[in-house]
Amino acid sequence: MPDTKKIKNTKIAFIMLSIMAVAAVLSFTTRTFAQDKPAPVSGMERVIKGTENWNGKYDISISKFLKNIGKSTGIYKMIHQPTAEELALEKAQAEAQLVAEENNPFDEAPKAPGWQSLIMIAIGFLIIYLAVGKGFEPLLLIPIGFGTVLVNIPGAAMGDAPHGMLHIIYSAGVGNEFFPMLIFMGIGAMTDFGPLIANPKTALLGGAAQFGVFFTLFGVAFMNAFLGTDYTMLQASAISIIGGADGPTSIYVSGKLAPEMMAVIAVAAYSYMALVPMIQPPIMKLLTTKKERLIKMDQLRPVSKTEKVLFPILLLVISILLLPPACPLIGMLAFGNFVKESHAAERLSKTMENELMNIVSILLSLGVGSQMTPEKIIKKESLGIIVLGLFAFAVATIGGLVMAKIMNLFLKKKINPLIGSAGVSAVPMAARVANKVGLEYDPSNFLLMNAMGPNVAGVIGTAIAAGVFIATYGA
């Protein structure tokens, strides 16, 4: 019996170490992109505009990197007394964010001609058709589609300030972190971390999928250099999070780093999140062989209640100590999951995962649809975000698949690479898609529970990536 407990504790420790290893890699990767000296003009600093006033704040330096990472930890903030200069800098940054929100280029666009509104209405009905006719995530796409149609009806004014219904919904919870936090609480109450605890190595697949988030920075640089866009590094970071296929996290990060782009980023993130069943299968089939898709995986071991209760607590404690900017997301996720796994407050758990989650999902999706106006969507910057979001999501899917194939080079018991695609944060959609593709080739090959391991790891990985971006550029 003691040996069994030792093995379980070792696996839990391995999971947490894997998560923090991903965080360390993401932190280093983010810093290496931040080449922002005004001279010499080369590399990322040549094509990422708006960095000339950073005055070397994000120069590449191992000592500065370690110093900045140390300053972003909860341990440092607990023992450090802010100086007058630091308080003044925080105040200036807060004022700069308010100015950015007031000078929103997406809100200043002139009213679009009526024919463009008709195009957006047609797009709204197309979204509804995909939800109802094709079965693509109707819980998300139906309210997004109706929100798109309703906000573009000429003369209805449902999206107009201050009294339009859709405007009220967006302002109340979408345009800030309120609805995203409630969604993460509901996700925590709905999610079973057992598959990740039972098979800790799948955390690597969730971490590898975050490669798409950071690789998208190259796409931003390319568009600035050759297509005439003008994204800053802050905006690039917010756009990149779309690669995690996590709508709430995308809204949260854009609110912190690029509030002027929150609307179109939310639309892109939720659109790709809902279209996982359409986007992922072609990539999965292209990058895997039939032999790999036929690999059967063993049934996962049972996970004890103690392990499940300790996991969210340990995850939260590590986030508090090492990455506080990720704590709002991970904290609400841990809260919802702890209530679920403790079984001490069943009424709260059921409310979180059912009534509250359903209500917030309806309001959030309607709010996202309300931003599908021609003034925001039919313009160069918005189309660039949509293209980059798709690019990020595709690369994230590829990252998980390739990591699974690499792991199979060293594992005696092979894993089915299809579950690597579930490393994105779309829970449980991506896991269901991996299972569905596996069943197409072998009706007895059920991959759902094995795919849930990288899927929930992707939720944590995207939250960590968000925390790294905020710690790096938002502070």
Side-chain angles (χ1 to χ4, degrees):
M1 192 69 177
D3 292 337
T4 302
K5 289 186 177 180
K6 183 176 181 182
I7 291 173
K8 291 179 179 179
N9 292 335
T10 301
K11 289 188 174 182
I12 293 177
F14 180 79
I15 294 173
M16 306 314 297
L17 289 175
S18 298
I19 293 170
M20 297 319 302
V22 171
V25 171
L26 298 184
S27 300
F28 179 75
T29 306
T30 305
R31 292 289 180 177
T32 59
F33 275 113
Q35 306 178 41
D36 303 303
K37 287 183 180 179
V41 180
S42 62
M44 190 69 83
E45 61 200 31
R46 175 175 59 84
V47 293
I48 296 292
K49 300 178 181 179
T51 60
E52 61 275 3
N53 296 322
W54 287 3
N55 299 321
K57 181 179 179 181
Y58 302 120
D59 295 345
I60 293 179
S61 166
I62 297 299
S63 60
K64 185 177 291 186
F65 164 75
L66 295 175
K67 181 179 179 181
N68 289 340
I69 288 296
K71 286 185 176 181
S72 68
T73 64
I75 297 174
Y76 175 83
K77 295 181 182 297
M78 290 176 187
I79 62 176
H80 176 68
Q81 183 68 29
T83 63
E85 292 78 8
E86 290 172 338
L87 293 174
L89 179 60
E90 289 181 5
K91 182 179 180 181
Q93 289 172 339
E95 292 174 350
Q97 183 171 353
L98 290 176
V99 171
E101 293 177 5
E102 293 173 358
N103 300 320
N104 187 341
F106 289 85
D107 286 342
E108 293 174 356
K111 190 69 176 177
W115 63 269
Q116 291 187 0
S117 295
L118 292 179
I119 291 177
M120 297 308 300
I121 290 175
I123 291 174
F125 281 120
L126 174 61
I127 293 173
I128 295 171
Y129 168 74
L130 291 174
V132 178
K134 297 297 183 179
F136 291 151
E137 295 306 322
L139 293 179
L140 286 176
L141 288 189
I142 289 177
I144 289 177
F146 267 94
T148 303
V149 172
L150 295 174
V151 78
N152 285 287
I153 297 175
M158 292 189 69
D160 292 351
H163 301 303
M165 172 189 169
L166 295 176
H167 172 78
I168 293 172
I169 291 174
Y170 181 82
S171 301
V174 184
N176 50 52
E177 64 183 56
F178 183 47
F179 286 172
M181 294 299 99
L182 292 180
I183 290 290
F184 255 76
M185 182 175 66
I187 291 173
M190 296 172 65
T191 301
D192 180 8
F193 285 101
L196 177 60
I197 299 172
N199 194 3
K201 58 179 173 287
T202 58
L204 298 176
L205 301 177
Q210 307 313 310
F211 181 72
V213 171
F214 293 90
F215 195 79
T216 304
L217 294 178
F218 286 113
V220 174
F222 177 86
M223 294 189 72
N224 277 2
F226 301 106
L227 301 182
T229 55
D230 191 21
Y231 300 120
T232 67
M233 186 65 83
L234 299 179
Q235 294 168 336
S237 299
I239 294 169
S240 297
I241 290 294
I242 298 174
D246 190 329
T249 304
S250 297
I251 293 174
Y252 181 76
V253 174
S254 60
K256 295 290 185 181
L257 301 182
E260 71 279 4
M261 287 187 164
M262 181 187 293
V264 68
I265 286 176
V267 169
Y270 270 93
S271 298
Y272 295 134
M273 183 177 171
L275 295 177
V276 165
M278 179 185 291
I279 298 171
Q280 281 198 320
I283 300 174
M284 296 161 68
K285 295 174 182 178
L286 178 65
L287 295 181
T288 58
T289 65
K290 183 177 180 180
K291 181 179 179 180
E292 289 174 327
R293 294 192 286 268
L294 290 172
I295 294 176
K296 289 191 175 183
M297 300 185 67
D298 294 335
Q299 183 177 355
L300 297 173
R301 71 169 179 84
V303 178
S304 69
K305 177 181 176 180
T306 301
E307 291 175 284
K308 290 185 176 183
V309 170
L310 287 178
F311 185 84
I313 298 298
L314 291 174
L315 180 63
L316 179 59
V317 169
I318 291 175
S319 300
I320 291 171
L321 295 177
L322 299 181
L323 198 60
C327 281
L329 296 170
I330 291 181
M332 295 304 290
L333 182 74
F335 169 52
N337 189 251
F338 181 81
V339 173
K340 166 189 169 66
E341 300 297 352
S342 67
H343 300 291
E346 293 287 349
R347 287 175 56 188
L348 295 183
S349 176
K350 292 185 180 299
T351 299
M352 289 179 190
E353 64 178 303
N354 293 308
E355 291 85 358
L356 182 61
M357 187 69 168
N358 292 335
I359 292 171
V360 176
S361 295
I362 292 171
L363 295 177
L364 182 59
S365 299
L366 279 173
V368 169
S370 74
Q371 301 305 301
M372 294 278 283
T373 60
E375 296 84 10
K376 292 183 173 71
I377 301 300
I378 305 179
K379 60 186 305 181
K380 179 178 66 176
E381 292 81 4
S382 299
L383 294 177
I385 290 174
I386 293 172
V387 171
L388 286 169
L390 178 60
F391 176 74
F393 181 56
V395 175
T397 302
I398 292 170
L401 292 168
V402 172
M403 174 58 74
K405 294 166 77 75
I406 293 174
M407 291 172 64
N408 277 343
L409 297 176
F410 305 96
L411 295 174
K412 292 182 180 180
K413 186 63 177 178
K414 307 301 182 183
I415 61 176
N416 192 312
L418 292 177
I419 72 171
S421 65
V424 297
S425 185
V427 177
M429 288 176 281
R432 292 206 303 259
V433 170
N435 182 63
K436 182 179 178 181
V437 174
L439 290 174
E440 289 178 8
Y441 293 87
D442 181 357
S444 66
N445 192 12
F446 294 94
L447 299 172
L448 182 59
M449 293 310 297
N450 285 285
M452 282 301 297
N455 208 182
V456 296
V459 176
I460 298 171
T462 303
I464 290 174
V468 169
F469 277 138
I470 294 171
T472 305
Y473 299 119

